Amino acid sequence: MVEKIYKYAKVKNIDLNEIIHIGDNLKADIEGARSIGIRSLLINSNHTPILSLVS
């Protein structure tokens, strides 16, 4: 996964901590990004209460 980030990045010398992944799926987007060292931001695109997503 990390190799793909560097392969397609326009800036080749970017650190993973300079990237933020924005997504609406706690498991796939947020935990996936964090597992490889990328910051993440959860958005609520389906109007589901946030507490129901994290509990």
Side-chain angles (χ1 to χ4, degrees):
M1 176 60 117
V2 175
E3 294 81 21
K4 285 185 179 182
I5 291 170
Y6 290 117
K7 179 179 179 181
Y8 295 107
K10 292 183 180 179
V11 178
K12 298 300 180 187
N13 59 349
I14 193 166
D15 291 330
L16 292 180
N17 64 3
E18 296 180 71
I19 299 170
I20 186 164
H21 178 81
I22 300 170
D24 63 355
N25 184 291
L26 180 66
K27 197 73 155 163
D29 296 324
I30 305 309
E31 292 178 14
R34 289 180 180 170
S35 73
I36 61 168
I38 295 175
R39 293 180 294 156
S40 58
L41 176 65
L42 178 65
I43 60 166
N44 189 5
S45 64
N46 59 7
H47 307 291
T48 302
I50 294 294
L51 286 177
S52 72
L53 297 173
V54 296
S55 47

